[in-house]
Amino acid sequence: MATEEGPADGGSRLARRLHPLTPVARGWKAMAVVLAIWGQHAARSPETRIGLAIAGAVFVAALLWGWLSWVFTVYRIEADDLRIDSGVLFRRTRHVHLGRLQAVDVVRPFIARLLGLAELKLQVAGGESAEGSLAYLRETDAQALRAELLARAAGVRPDAGEAPEQPLVVVPMPVLIGSVLLSVGTWVFLLPSAVLVGMAVGTGNEPLLLGFVPLFIAAWQFSVGRVLRYFDFTLSESPDGLRLAHGLIEHRHQTVPPGRVQAVRIVQPLLWRAKGWVRVEVNIAGYGKHDDHENHESTLLPVAPLPVALGVLSRILPGVDVEAVPLSRVPSRARWHSPVRWRAMACGADDRVFVARRGILHRETDVIPHAKVQSVRRTQGPFERLLGLATVHLDTTPGPVHVTAPLRDAAEASRLVHDQAERSRIGRRGEGPHRWSARLGGSPADVDR
Protein backbone atom coordinates (compact mmCIF):
# COMPACT_ATOMS: atom_id res chain seq x y z
CA MET A 1 0.00 0.00 0.00
CA ALA A 2 1.46 3.35 -1.05
CA THR A 3 1.12 6.31 1.28
CA GLU A 4 3.06 9.06 -0.43
CA GLU A 5 4.83 9.61 -3.69
CA GLY A 6 8.48 10.49 -4.19
CA PRO A 7 10.37 11.76 -7.21
CA ALA A 8 10.28 9.68 -10.36
CA ASP A 9 14.07 9.56 -10.82
CA GLY A 10 14.34 6.16 -9.14
CA GLY A 11 15.61 7.71 -5.90
CA SER A 12 12.80 8.02 -3.36
CA ARG A 13 10.03 5.51 -4.04
CA LEU A 14 6.47 5.08 -2.89
CA ALA A 15 6.20 4.39 0.81
CA ARG A 16 4.68 0.96 1.32
CA ARG A 17 3.02 -0.77 4.25
CA LEU A 18 3.23 -4.30 5.51
CA HIS A 19 0.43 -6.76 4.80
CA PRO A 20 -2.84 -6.00 6.67
CA LEU A 21 -2.77 -9.50 8.24
CA THR A 22 0.54 -8.71 9.96
CA PRO A 23 -1.13 -8.14 13.39
CA VAL A 24 -2.68 -11.62 13.15
CA ALA A 25 0.61 -13.28 12.15
CA ARG A 26 2.44 -11.51 14.95
CA GLY A 27 -0.28 -11.94 17.53
CA TRP A 28 -0.53 -15.73 17.67
CA LYS A 29 1.60 -15.71 20.82
CA ALA A 30 -0.82 -13.29 22.45
CA MET A 31 -3.66 -15.59 21.44
CA ALA A 32 -1.85 -18.49 23.12
CA VAL A 33 -1.51 -16.41 26.30
CA VAL A 34 -5.23 -15.65 26.16
CA LEU A 35 -6.10 -19.33 25.91
CA ALA A 36 -3.71 -20.15 28.78
CA ILE A 37 -5.28 -17.50 31.04
CA TRP A 38 -8.78 -18.69 30.26
CA GLY A 39 -7.82 -22.35 30.69
CA GLN A 40 -6.20 -21.78 34.10
CA HIS A 41 -9.18 -19.81 35.38
CA ALA A 42 -11.66 -22.37 34.07
CA ALA A 43 -9.73 -25.17 35.78
CA ARG A 44 -9.82 -23.40 39.16
CA SER A 45 -13.35 -22.09 39.11
CA PRO A 46 -16.62 -23.15 37.56
CA GLU A 47 -17.37 -19.48 36.96
CA THR A 48 -15.79 -18.71 33.60
CA ARG A 49 -17.17 -15.23 32.94
CA ILE A 50 -14.33 -13.45 34.75
CA GLY A 51 -11.74 -15.55 32.94
CA LEU A 52 -13.40 -14.87 29.61
CA ALA A 53 -13.47 -11.14 30.37
CA ILE A 54 -9.76 -11.07 31.25
CA ALA A 55 -8.84 -13.13 28.21
CA GLY A 56 -10.99 -10.94 25.98
CA ALA A 57 -9.38 -7.75 27.33
CA VAL A 58 -5.88 -9.12 26.70
CA PHE A 59 -6.87 -10.18 23.20
CA VAL A 60 -8.38 -6.79 22.31
CA ALA A 61 -5.38 -4.91 23.73
CA ALA A 62 -2.93 -7.10 21.79
CA LEU A 63 -4.97 -6.72 18.60
CA LEU A 64 -5.15 -2.93 19.02
CA TRP A 65 -1.41 -2.64 19.64
CA GLY A 66 -0.67 -4.82 16.63
CA TRP A 67 -2.93 -2.68 14.44
CA LEU A 68 -1.26 0.56 15.63
CA SER A 69 2.18 -0.96 14.99
CA TRP A 70 1.08 -1.87 11.48
CA VAL A 71 -0.29 1.63 10.83
CA PHE A 72 2.95 3.35 11.91
CA THR A 73 5.30 1.03 9.97
CA VAL A 74 6.15 2.01 6.40
CA TYR A 75 9.16 1.38 4.18
CA ARG A 76 10.54 2.87 0.99
CA ILE A 77 13.63 2.70 -1.20
CA GLU A 78 15.59 5.96 -1.36
CA ALA A 79 18.48 5.86 -3.84
CA ASP A 80 20.85 3.23 -2.38
CA ASP A 81 19.03 2.91 0.97
CA LEU A 82 16.04 0.98 2.25
CA ARG A 83 14.29 3.23 4.77
CA ILE A 84 12.07 1.67 7.45
CA ASP A 85 9.93 3.91 9.69
CA SER A 86 8.33 2.23 12.70
CA GLY A 87 7.29 2.77 16.32
CA VAL A 88 4.02 3.72 18.01
CA LEU A 89 5.12 5.67 21.09
CA PHE A 90 8.72 6.27 20.00
CA ARG A 91 9.37 6.72 16.30
CA ARG A 92 12.38 4.92 14.80
CA THR A 93 13.90 5.35 11.33
CA ARG A 94 16.42 2.87 9.98
CA HIS A 95 18.43 3.28 6.79
CA VAL A 96 19.83 0.02 5.37
CA HIS A 97 22.55 0.89 2.88
CA LEU A 98 22.22 -1.55 -0.01
CA GLY A 99 25.91 -1.28 -0.86
CA ARG A 100 26.71 -2.96 2.49
CA LEU A 101 24.14 -5.69 2.03
CA GLN A 102 25.56 -9.09 2.97
CA ALA A 103 22.57 -11.41 2.74
CA VAL A 104 18.82 -11.33 2.20
CA ASP A 105 16.57 -13.96 3.79
CA VAL A 106 12.92 -14.78 3.18
CA VAL A 107 11.56 -16.53 6.28
CA ARG A 108 8.15 -18.18 6.43
CA PRO A 109 7.13 -19.22 9.96
CA PHE A 110 4.35 -21.76 10.20
CA ILE A 111 1.52 -19.34 11.07
CA ALA A 112 2.68 -16.87 8.41
CA ARG A 113 2.76 -19.62 5.79
CA LEU A 114 -0.86 -20.49 6.56
CA LEU A 115 -1.73 -16.85 5.80
CA GLY A 116 0.43 -16.69 2.67
CA LEU A 117 2.90 -14.26 4.30
CA ALA A 118 6.68 -14.08 4.66
CA GLU A 119 9.28 -12.07 6.56
CA LEU A 120 12.18 -10.34 4.82
CA LYS A 121 15.46 -10.09 6.78
CA LEU A 122 18.44 -8.04 5.64
CA GLN A 123 21.96 -8.63 6.94
CA VAL A 124 24.55 -5.89 6.45
CA ALA A 125 28.30 -5.65 6.97
CA GLY A 126 29.28 -5.00 10.57
CA GLY A 127 25.93 -6.07 12.00
CA GLU A 128 25.39 -8.68 14.69
CA SER A 129 21.77 -9.36 13.80
CA ALA A 130 19.23 -8.55 11.10
CA GLU A 131 19.59 -4.83 10.39
CA GLY A 132 16.29 -4.60 8.55
CA SER A 133 13.27 -6.83 9.08
CA LEU A 134 9.94 -6.50 7.28
CA ALA A 135 7.35 -8.79 8.89
CA TYR A 136 5.09 -9.54 7.20
CA LEU A 137 4.64 -9.22 3.44
CA ARG A 138 2.70 -11.25 0.94
CA GLU A 139 5.00 -14.05 -0.25
CA THR A 140 5.05 -12.78 -3.83
CA ASP A 141 5.76 -9.23 -2.63
CA ALA A 142 8.60 -10.46 -0.41
CA GLN A 143 10.17 -12.31 -3.33
CA ALA A 144 9.79 -9.28 -5.61
CA LEU A 145 11.27 -6.89 -3.03
CA ARG A 146 14.16 -9.27 -2.40
CA ALA A 147 14.89 -9.40 -6.14
CA GLU A 148 14.78 -5.59 -6.36
CA LEU A 149 17.09 -5.09 -3.39
CA LEU A 150 19.57 -7.65 -4.71
CA ALA A 151 19.48 -6.03 -8.14
CA ARG A 152 20.16 -2.58 -6.69
CA ALA A 153 22.97 -3.94 -4.51
CA ALA A 154 24.43 -5.66 -7.58
CA GLY A 155 24.37 -2.43 -9.58
CA VAL A 156 21.88 -3.65 -12.20
CA ARG A 157 18.42 -2.42 -13.18
CA PRO A 158 15.98 -2.52 -10.24
CA ASP A 159 13.30 -4.08 -12.46
CA ALA A 160 15.61 -6.84 -13.66
CA GLY A 161 13.41 -9.32 -11.82
CA GLU A 162 14.28 -12.60 -10.14
CA ALA A 163 17.69 -13.84 -11.22
CA PRO A 164 17.78 -17.41 -12.54
CA GLU A 165 19.29 -20.04 -10.29
CA GLN A 166 21.04 -23.35 -10.86
CA PRO A 167 20.81 -26.05 -8.20
CA LEU A 168 24.20 -27.19 -6.96
CA VAL A 169 23.39 -29.55 -4.08
CA VAL A 170 20.19 -31.18 -2.84
CA VAL A 171 20.41 -33.05 0.47
CA PRO A 172 18.30 -36.24 0.26
CA MET A 173 16.09 -36.97 3.24
CA PRO A 174 17.72 -40.38 4.00
CA VAL A 175 21.13 -38.67 4.14
CA LEU A 176 19.80 -35.95 6.44
CA ILE A 177 18.18 -38.45 8.81
CA GLY A 178 21.30 -40.61 8.73
CA SER A 179 23.50 -37.65 9.64
CA VAL A 180 21.30 -36.96 12.66
CA LEU A 181 21.36 -40.59 13.80
CA LEU A 182 25.15 -40.72 13.39
CA SER A 183 25.70 -37.60 15.51
CA VAL A 184 27.04 -38.11 19.02
CA GLY A 185 25.12 -35.09 20.29
CA THR A 186 21.83 -36.70 19.28
CA TRP A 187 22.35 -39.74 21.49
CA VAL A 188 23.89 -37.73 24.34
CA PHE A 189 20.45 -36.18 24.87
CA LEU A 190 18.14 -38.87 23.49
CA LEU A 191 19.35 -41.74 25.67
CA PRO A 192 19.03 -39.89 29.02
CA SER A 193 15.60 -38.64 27.93
CA ALA A 194 14.44 -42.18 27.17
CA VAL A 195 15.79 -43.42 30.52
CA LEU A 196 13.99 -40.65 32.42
CA VAL A 197 10.70 -41.36 30.68
CA GLY A 198 11.03 -45.05 31.51
CA MET A 199 11.83 -44.30 35.17
CA ALA A 200 8.90 -41.89 35.48
CA VAL A 201 6.44 -44.35 33.94
CA GLY A 202 7.84 -47.30 35.88
CA THR A 203 7.67 -45.55 39.25
CA GLY A 204 4.45 -43.71 38.53
CA ASN A 205 6.18 -40.40 39.25
CA GLU A 206 5.23 -38.46 36.11
CA PRO A 207 5.92 -35.02 37.73
CA LEU A 208 9.59 -36.04 37.68
CA LEU A 209 9.58 -35.26 33.97
CA LEU A 210 8.85 -31.58 34.57
CA GLY A 211 12.28 -31.02 36.09
CA PHE A 212 13.98 -32.29 32.94
CA VAL A 213 12.13 -30.19 30.36
CA PRO A 214 15.40 -28.48 29.20
CA LEU A 215 16.90 -31.92 28.53
CA PHE A 216 13.87 -32.92 26.45
CA ILE A 217 14.05 -29.65 24.50
CA ALA A 218 17.75 -30.24 23.75
CA ALA A 219 16.98 -33.81 22.64
CA TRP A 220 14.32 -32.45 20.28
CA GLN A 221 16.69 -29.82 18.87
CA PHE A 222 19.44 -32.34 18.17
CA SER A 223 17.15 -34.90 16.57
CA VAL A 224 13.73 -34.05 15.14
CA GLY A 225 14.46 -30.32 15.20
CA ARG A 226 17.44 -30.68 12.87
CA VAL A 227 15.45 -32.79 10.43
CA LEU A 228 12.64 -30.23 10.36
CA ARG A 229 15.08 -27.32 10.06
CA TYR A 230 17.04 -28.71 7.11
CA PHE A 231 14.14 -30.50 5.42
CA ASP A 232 14.39 -30.35 1.60
CA PHE A 233 17.72 -28.49 1.81
CA THR A 234 18.72 -27.07 -1.57
CA LEU A 235 21.82 -25.00 -2.36
CA SER A 236 21.66 -23.10 -5.63
CA GLU A 237 23.79 -20.53 -7.39
CA SER A 238 22.55 -17.43 -9.16
CA PRO A 239 24.03 -14.13 -10.35
CA ASP A 240 23.02 -12.52 -7.03
CA GLY A 241 24.75 -15.17 -4.92
CA LEU A 242 24.27 -18.53 -3.27
CA ARG A 243 20.69 -19.40 -2.38
CA LEU A 244 19.79 -21.72 0.48
CA ALA A 245 16.23 -23.01 0.79
CA HIS A 246 15.17 -25.36 3.59
CA GLY A 247 12.69 -25.99 6.38
CA LEU A 248 9.41 -27.81 6.90
CA ILE A 249 7.57 -25.92 9.64
CA GLU A 250 9.52 -22.69 9.16
CA HIS A 251 10.76 -22.32 5.60
CA ARG A 252 13.85 -20.18 5.11
CA HIS A 253 15.21 -18.81 1.85
CA GLN A 254 18.64 -17.21 2.30
CA THR A 255 20.71 -15.38 -0.29
CA VAL A 256 24.42 -15.02 0.37
CA PRO A 257 26.11 -12.65 -2.11
CA PRO A 258 29.30 -13.85 -3.81
CA GLY A 259 32.55 -12.63 -2.33
CA ARG A 260 30.94 -11.96 1.06
CA VAL A 261 31.87 -15.24 2.78
CA GLN A 262 34.53 -14.34 5.35
CA ALA A 263 35.71 -17.78 6.50
CA VAL A 264 34.79 -21.44 6.00
CA ARG A 265 34.91 -24.49 8.27
CA ILE A 266 34.65 -28.10 7.08
CA VAL A 267 33.56 -30.36 9.96
CA GLN A 268 33.70 -34.17 9.94
CA PRO A 269 32.34 -35.87 13.09
CA LEU A 270 33.69 -39.29 14.01
CA LEU A 271 30.60 -41.30 13.03
CA TRP A 272 30.36 -39.59 9.63
CA ARG A 273 33.75 -40.76 8.38
CA ALA A 274 32.54 -44.14 7.15
CA LYS A 275 30.08 -42.32 4.88
CA GLY A 276 32.57 -39.60 3.90
CA TRP A 277 30.14 -36.87 5.02
CA VAL A 278 31.08 -33.39 6.18
CA ARG A 279 29.29 -30.23 7.33
CA VAL A 280 30.23 -26.78 6.00
CA GLU A 281 29.87 -23.64 8.13
CA VAL A 282 30.68 -20.07 7.14
CA ASN A 283 31.20 -16.65 8.68
CA ILE A 284 29.12 -13.94 7.03
CA ALA A 285 29.08 -10.34 8.21
CA GLY A 286 25.72 -9.71 9.88
CA TYR A 287 25.33 -13.35 10.92
CA GLY A 288 27.61 -12.86 13.90
CA LYS A 289 25.90 -13.74 17.17
CA HIS A 290 22.89 -15.97 17.56
CA ASP A 291 20.71 -16.98 20.41
CA ASP A 292 20.52 -20.57 19.20
CA HIS A 293 23.27 -23.06 19.93
CA GLU A 294 23.78 -24.28 16.36
CA ASN A 295 24.16 -21.08 14.32
CA HIS A 296 22.00 -22.64 11.62
CA GLU A 297 21.92 -19.38 9.65
CA SER A 298 25.68 -19.86 9.12
CA THR A 299 25.37 -23.47 7.93
CA LEU A 300 26.17 -23.63 4.23
CA LEU A 301 25.74 -27.42 3.98
CA PRO A 302 24.25 -29.47 6.84
CA VAL A 303 25.66 -32.70 5.38
CA ALA A 304 27.30 -33.61 2.08
CA PRO A 305 30.04 -35.88 0.71
CA LEU A 306 33.50 -34.32 0.94
CA PRO A 307 33.94 -33.96 -2.88
CA VAL A 308 30.62 -32.09 -3.07
CA ALA A 309 31.64 -29.78 -0.22
CA LEU A 310 34.95 -29.03 -1.92
CA GLY A 311 33.08 -28.31 -5.15
CA VAL A 312 30.88 -25.77 -3.37
CA LEU A 313 33.95 -24.28 -1.71
CA SER A 314 35.49 -23.74 -5.15
CA ARG A 315 32.41 -21.67 -6.06
CA ILE A 316 32.58 -19.33 -3.07
CA LEU A 317 36.40 -19.15 -3.11
CA PRO A 318 37.31 -19.36 -6.82
CA GLY A 319 40.74 -20.74 -7.54
CA VAL A 320 41.19 -22.22 -4.06
CA ASP A 321 42.15 -25.90 -3.65
CA VAL A 322 42.12 -26.58 0.08
CA GLU A 323 43.71 -30.00 -0.22
CA ALA A 324 46.64 -28.57 -2.21
CA VAL A 325 47.64 -26.05 0.47
CA PRO A 326 50.89 -27.26 2.10
CA LEU A 327 50.51 -27.78 5.85
CA SER A 328 53.11 -28.13 8.59
CA ARG A 329 52.58 -29.93 11.89
CA VAL A 330 53.36 -28.63 15.35
CA PRO A 331 56.70 -29.53 17.02
CA SER A 332 56.83 -32.82 18.92
CA ARG A 333 57.22 -31.09 22.29
CA ALA A 334 53.61 -29.90 21.89
CA ARG A 335 52.64 -33.39 23.13
CA TRP A 336 53.36 -32.19 26.67
CA HIS A 337 50.66 -29.54 26.25
CA SER A 338 48.08 -31.64 24.38
CA PRO A 339 49.05 -35.33 24.59
CA VAL A 340 46.34 -36.45 22.13
CA ARG A 341 45.31 -33.53 19.95
CA TRP A 342 48.82 -32.36 18.98
CA ARG A 343 49.14 -35.00 16.24
CA ALA A 344 46.18 -33.55 14.32
CA MET A 345 47.24 -29.89 14.51
CA ALA A 346 48.59 -28.37 11.29
CA CYS A 347 48.44 -25.09 9.40
CA GLY A 348 49.69 -23.56 6.18
CA ALA A 349 49.02 -20.94 3.54
CA ASP A 350 49.27 -20.31 -0.16
CA ASP A 351 48.89 -17.04 -2.04
CA ARG A 352 45.08 -16.98 -1.50
CA VAL A 353 44.06 -18.60 1.80
CA PHE A 354 45.26 -19.67 5.24
CA VAL A 355 44.27 -23.18 6.32
CA ALA A 356 44.27 -24.69 9.83
CA ARG A 357 43.38 -28.29 10.74
CA ARG A 358 42.79 -29.95 14.10
CA GLY A 359 40.82 -32.70 15.80
CA ILE A 360 41.33 -36.47 15.99
CA LEU A 361 37.78 -37.60 16.76
CA HIS A 362 36.02 -34.44 15.57
CA ARG A 363 38.00 -33.14 12.59
CA GLU A 364 37.81 -29.49 11.59
CA THR A 365 39.45 -27.61 8.73
CA ASP A 366 39.27 -23.79 8.79
CA VAL A 367 39.84 -21.76 5.62
CA ILE A 368 40.14 -17.98 5.56
CA PRO A 369 41.03 -15.82 2.54
CA HIS A 370 43.90 -13.45 3.22
CA ALA A 371 41.76 -10.45 2.23
CA LYS A 372 39.18 -11.29 4.94
CA VAL A 373 41.62 -11.35 7.87
CA GLN A 374 40.91 -8.31 10.03
CA SER A 375 43.70 -8.81 12.56
CA VAL A 376 46.44 -11.27 13.49
CA ARG A 377 47.39 -12.05 17.10
CA ARG A 378 50.04 -14.09 18.85
CA THR A 379 49.22 -15.38 22.34
CA GLN A 380 51.36 -17.38 24.76
CA GLY A 381 50.20 -18.87 28.05
CA PRO A 382 52.53 -19.78 30.91
CA PHE A 383 52.75 -23.47 29.96
CA GLU A 384 53.32 -22.50 26.32
CA ARG A 385 56.15 -20.17 27.34
CA LEU A 386 57.73 -23.00 29.30
CA LEU A 387 57.64 -25.22 26.18
CA GLY A 388 58.64 -22.44 23.76
CA LEU A 389 55.26 -22.54 22.01
CA ALA A 390 52.69 -19.91 20.99
CA THR A 391 49.27 -19.69 19.32
CA VAL A 392 48.39 -17.54 16.31
CA HIS A 393 44.85 -16.18 15.93
CA LEU A 394 43.41 -14.87 12.64
CA ASP A 395 40.39 -12.70 13.41
CA THR A 396 37.47 -12.08 11.08
CA THR A 397 33.77 -11.25 11.46
CA PRO A 398 31.89 -13.01 14.31
CA GLY A 399 30.58 -16.45 13.54
CA PRO A 400 31.13 -20.15 14.15
CA VAL A 401 34.57 -20.15 12.49
CA HIS A 402 37.48 -19.06 14.72
CA VAL A 403 40.74 -19.60 12.87
CA THR A 404 43.71 -20.44 15.12
CA ALA A 405 47.09 -22.10 14.71
CA PRO A 406 47.78 -23.48 18.21
CA LEU A 407 51.02 -24.75 19.72
CA ARG A 408 53.42 -23.47 17.07
CA ASP A 409 57.08 -22.92 17.79
CA ALA A 410 57.37 -19.45 19.33
CA ALA A 411 59.76 -18.15 16.67
CA GLU A 412 57.60 -19.67 13.92
CA ALA A 413 54.50 -18.04 15.42
CA SER A 414 56.17 -14.63 15.24
CA ARG A 415 57.02 -15.24 11.58
CA LEU A 416 53.45 -16.39 10.90
CA VAL A 417 52.07 -13.15 12.34
CA HIS A 418 54.42 -11.04 10.23
CA ASP A 419 53.89 -13.04 7.03
CA GLN A 420 50.11 -13.20 7.45
CA ALA A 421 49.86 -9.44 8.02
CA GLU A 422 51.71 -8.93 4.72
CA ARG A 423 49.57 -11.49 2.88
CA SER A 424 46.40 -9.83 4.19
CA ARG A 425 47.59 -6.41 3.08
CA ILE A 426 48.30 -7.70 -0.42
CA GLY A 427 45.01 -9.63 -0.49
CA ARG A 428 42.92 -6.60 0.43
CA ARG A 429 44.67 -4.52 -2.20
CA GLY A 430 43.86 -7.09 -4.87
CA GLU A 431 40.28 -7.76 -3.75
CA GLY A 432 37.59 -7.46 -6.39
CA PRO A 433 35.06 -4.63 -6.87
CA HIS A 434 32.40 -3.85 -4.28
CA ARG A 435 29.40 -4.47 -6.55
CA TRP A 436 28.36 -8.09 -6.70
CA SER A 437 27.72 -8.20 -10.44
CA ALA A 438 31.25 -7.05 -11.15
CA ARG A 439 32.63 -9.97 -9.13
CA LEU A 440 30.95 -12.62 -11.25
CA GLY A 441 32.48 -14.01 -14.39
CA GLY A 442 30.88 -16.68 -16.53
CA SER A 443 28.08 -19.06 -15.72
CA PRO A 444 27.99 -21.34 -12.71
CA ALA A 445 29.73 -24.67 -13.11
CA ASP A 446 28.11 -27.92 -12.17
CA VAL A 447 28.98 -29.50 -8.86
CA ASP A 448 29.09 -33.28 -8.60
CA ARG A 449 26.06 -34.50 -6.72
Side-chain angles (χ1 to χ4, degrees):
M1 181 186 299
T3 58
E4 59 181 82
E5 188 172 349
D9 59 358
S12 180
R13 301 286 303 277
L14 293 177
R16 292 171 262 183
R17 295 193 188 279
L18 303 176
H19 195 276
L21 290 178
T22 293
V24 178
R26 286 179 172 176
W28 69 270
K29 294 182 180 179
M31 297 178 187
V33 172
V34 168
L35 292 176
I37 293 175
W38 180 81
Q40 289 182 0
H41 186 83
R44 295 174 182 176
S45 172
E47 180 59 54
T48 60
R49 287 181 297 179
I50 298 178
L52 287 175
I54 296 175
V58 172
F59 176 77
V60 172
L63 195 63
L64 178 60
W65 182 262
W67 179 79
L68 290 175
S69 178
W70 173 79
V71 168
F72 286 99
T73 301
V74 296
Y75 65 95
R76 62 172 65 85
I77 298 177
E78 298 179 344
D80 287 334
D81 288 354
L82 172 66
R83 174 178 171 177
I84 304 175
D85 298 315
S86 61
V88 179
L89 300 179
F90 301 95
R91 298 294 292 163
R92 180 183 180 187
T93 299
R94 287 173 290 173
H95 290 266
V96 181
H97 185 50
L98 301 183
R100 299 176 64 242
L101 202 59
Q102 298 287 334
V104 182
D105 302 347
V106 177
V107 183
R108 302 178 181 90
F110 179 70
I111 300 299
R113 291 177 68 183
L114 294 179
L115 299 175
L117 306 180
E119 177 183 4
L120 200 68
K121 290 186 176 181
L122 289 81
Q123 316 287 346
V124 299
E128 294 185 351
S129 59
E131 181 68 20
S133 176
L134 296 175
Y136 291 90
L137 305 171
R138 185 183 289 109
E139 288 191 13
T140 55
D141 294 341
Q143 294 286 355
L145 180 58
R146 182 181 68 90
E148 179 180 357
L149 295 177
L150 291 173
R152 288 179 176 273
V156 300
R157 290 172 41 237
D159 57 350
E162 185 79 10
E165 65 181 45
Q166 176 179 339
L168 296 179
V169 181
V170 177
V171 178
M173 180 57 63
V175 173
L176 179 60
I177 296 176
S179 69
V180 173
L181 295 178
L182 292 177
S183 297
V184 175
T186 299
W187 298 105
V188 166
F189 291 100
L190 275 182
L191 290 179
S193 300
V195 171
L196 287 172
V197 171
M199 291 175 55
V201 174
T203 60
N205 188 17
E206 286 80 4
L208 175 67
L209 300 178
L210 297 178
F212 295 93
V213 169
L215 179 63
F216 299 144
I217 293 176
W220 172 274
Q221 290 290 335
F222 272 94
S223 55
V224 180
R226 287 174 58 187
V227 175
L228 297 178
R229 182 181 306 129
Y230 297 117
F231 176 83
D232 195 24
F233 188 97
T234 303
L235 174 67
S236 305
E237 188 177 40
S238 72
D240 54 35
L242 294 176
R243 295 181 180 176
L244 288 70
H246 57 90
L248 180 60
I249 295 179
E250 178 183 274
H251 188 268
R252 181 178 295 269
H253 193 152
Q254 298 174 243
T255 301
V256 180
R260 301 304 179 100
V261 174
Q262 309 295 306
V264 180
R265 170 172 292 168
I266 301 175
V267 183
Q268 188 174 44
L270 175 64
L271 300 180
W272 289 15
R273 293 182 193 174
K275 297 290 187 179
W277 295 338
V278 297
R279 182 175 70 251
V280 181
E281 302 171 346
V282 293
N283 282 6
I284 304 172
Y287 283 150
K289 299 179 179 179
H290 302 274
D291 295 332
D292 59 275
H293 64 279
E294 200 171 341
N295 288 297
H296 59 264
E297 289 182 337
S298 297
T299 300
L300 189 65
L301 279 175
V303 57
L306 179 59
V308 173
L310 294 177
V312 172
L313 186 60
S314 69
R315 301 304 305 168
I316 60 180
L317 300 177
V320 173
D321 185 357
V322 176
E323 296 190 323
V325 177
L327 304 180
S328 62
R329 296 174 59 182
V330 299
S332 59
R333 63 182 182 275
R335 66 163 63 95
W336 300 106
H337 188 284
S338 298
V340 177
R341 296 187 300 119
W342 73 278
R343 293 183 179 275
M345 296 178 182
C347 71
D350 60 10
D351 59 341
R352 301 181 65 88
V353 295
F354 183 94
V355 178
R357 286 181 177 167
R358 63 185 173 277
I360 293 181
L361 300 180
H362 190 82
R363 295 175 181 171
E364 295 181 348
T365 301
D366 294 339
V367 183
I368 181 170
H370 299 315
K372 305 301 183 182
V373 178
Q374 297 183 354
S375 65
V376 187
R377 297 178 289 120
R378 175 186 182 273
T379 61
Q380 192 177 41
F383 197 20
E384 288 178 314
R385 285 199 299 270
L386 181 63
L387 297 173
L389 304 174
T391 298
V392 177
H393 304 261
L394 285 74
D395 300 321
T396 181
T397 56
V401 185
H402 305 278
V403 184
T404 61
L407 305 185
R408 311 304 299 185
D409 179 82
E412 179 195 2
S414 298
R415 290 194 301 271
L416 277 176
V417 170
H418 177 271
D419 295 344
Q420 185 57 47
E422 180 65 15
R423 286 191 291 260
S424 298
R425 184 184 64 82
I426 297 174
R428 284 190 293 269
R429 187 174 58 190
E431 196 175 16
H434 188 63
R435 290 290 187 181
W436 307 342
S437 56
R439 293 179 177 265
L440 299 177
S443 59
D446 290 337
V447 175
D448 293 335
R449 293 174 176 82

